[in-house]
Amino acid sequence: VPLFIKHPLINNPVDEVQITAAHIDMLPTLAALSRSGIPSDRKIDGQNLLPLMQGQAVAWEDRSLFFNWTRKYPEKYRNVALQKGQYKLVGNTGYDSEVTDFELFDLTRDPYELNNIVQDNLKIAQGLKTSLDNLFEELINSPNLLDPPVTAIGTEHENPVVLNRNDASGQRGIWAQESVYGYWEVAIEEGLYDIGFKFIKPLTDTGRMILETGTLVQQMEVKQIGLDMIVMKKVRLPAMEGILRPFYQSKSAEIFPFWVEVRRVE
């Protein structure tokens, strides 16, 4: 995604930097621009781009940039890519695939990735695949996947909180279905809340809006059809850390909301 940076420290800008940057470089670059430093107690994946933007001669080693698209946990060799220097290895295949099942592109000669050259460059492709395997193992063992943070609700730092399907747990394909089991892991502060439930399509049957928070279940009768938004007013929620699960129950289905807005009112 393109972006613009204008800053007094970039006082001798160059016309073009022939280095592949990524989103991971934003933290160290912004830290350098703000002269705030970066944490020393953890590994920082990105690199500071400021010297390059200032036109300084910097020894910049080719690095492996790993890309993965998923809605939940990573799937081995599915929707993945690894780029290092002029070469990019792309995989959308099975977990047990050989390197010849991947695509390899020379971005210098083929920036639009039209010509797969894996068969003629097996040594290069295998080296990239080995790097991809190592980064994949690091990814699936990262703390944020093994012990993901929960969403804090009711704090002074963010009110309201919007819970959306992209952050929900439950069944696979949760973002694309209506009648599906889903929930969010949350930490709630005790209080009164107005809670709005937004549905993709208007509800065609009367029913009950049900909210499960840990062991507490609260429900509201809905006698009007055609609604795509239901609001439960002044719901008292206890202090808890656990599952928040909402669903609309009618005679024909249990429908999971597209998103939920939780606003603390007292």
Side-chain angles (χ1 to χ4, degrees):
V1 178
L3 66 106
F4 295 90
I5 298 178
K6 181 179 181 181
H7 195 279
L9 286 180
I10 310 175
N11 52 21
N12 185 30
V14 295
D15 291 333
E16 188 172 0
V17 175
Q18 294 292 339
I19 294 294
T20 301
H23 63 287
I24 55 176
D25 299 322
M26 293 308 301
L27 172 61
T29 302
L30 293 174
L33 287 169
S34 61
R35 294 170 174 165
S36 58
I38 58 175
S40 58
D41 61 344
R42 69 204 67 187
K43 178 184 176 183
I44 302 298
D45 292 317
Q47 299 188 46
N48 176 18
L49 302 174
L50 180 57
L52 297 174
M53 293 189 286
Q54 291 174 326
Q56 299 180 25
V58 179
W60 196 280
E61 207 175 307
D62 279 343
R63 55 181 171 161
S64 296
L65 293 174
F66 173 74
F67 305 92
N68 173 228
W69 185 93
T70 179
R71 287 285 191 173
K72 189 62 177 177
Y73 297 118
E75 299 178 46
K76 194 167 188 180
Y77 300 154
R78 180 171 172 80
N79 296 324
V80 297
L82 186 131
Q83 180 180 340
K84 186 175 183 180
Q86 70 191 81
Y87 293 105
K88 183 177 181 182
L89 187 73
V90 179
N92 189 22
T93 184
Y95 76 95
D96 56 348
S97 298
E98 301 295 333
V99 70
T100 50
D101 297 317
F102 288 73
E103 294 177 293
L104 179 69
F105 302 102
D106 183 340
L107 300 180
T108 301
R109 300 176 180 177
D110 180 23
Y112 297 106
E113 302 177 20
L114 300 177
N115 301 307
N116 178 15
I117 60 172
V118 70
Q119 292 289 351
D120 298 325
N121 297 273
L122 292 177
K123 185 175 180 180
I124 294 173
Q126 186 59 57
L128 293 177
K129 184 174 180 291
T130 299
S131 296
L132 189 150
D133 289 339
N134 294 335
L135 287 167
F136 184 85
E137 288 298 318
E138 180 183 340
L139 174 63
I140 63 174
N141 287 290
S142 62
N144 282 338
L145 283 185
L146 296 175
D147 185 22
V150 300
T151 301
I153 292 177
T155 74
E156 61 182 10
H157 306 292
E158 186 174 2
N159 190 39
V161 169
V162 177
L163 306 171
N164 68 77
R165 282 194 190 180
N166 282 336
D167 298 323
S169 298
Q171 291 176 243
R172 288 275 183 169
I174 197 169
W175 55 88
Q177 301 181 58
E178 294 293 277
S179 183
V180 65
Y181 176 80
Y183 62 88
W184 290 273
E185 295 279 355
V186 298
I188 301 175
E189 294 197 1
E190 181 181 4
L192 281 179
Y193 293 84
D194 289 349
I195 307 176
F197 308 93
K198 180 71 169 72
F199 297 88
I200 294 178
K201 300 176 182 178
L203 301 168
T204 57
D205 295 320
T206 59
R208 298 181 299 158
M209 188 67 232
I210 299 176
L211 176 66
E212 298 178 355
T213 47
T215 59
L216 177 64
V217 181
Q218 304 183 73
Q219 62 172 294
M220 183 180 76
E221 294 288 339
V222 180
K223 299 180 180 180
Q224 182 180 348
I225 63 173
L227 299 175
D228 66 356
M229 184 78 179
I230 295 174
V231 179
M232 297 175 71
K233 294 279 191 179
K234 293 187 176 181
V235 180
R236 179 160 294 281
L237 298 179
M240 61 150 283
E241 184 168 328
I243 288 176
L244 184 149
R245 183 195 175 214
F247 59 95
Y248 183 77
Q249 186 177 68
S250 69
K251 60 185 179 181
S252 58
E254 290 184 354
I255 303 174
F256 187 62
F258 187 54
W259 52 259
V260 178
E261 181 186 88
V262 188
R263 182 185 298 274
R264 186 174 183 177
V265 294
E266 184 180 320

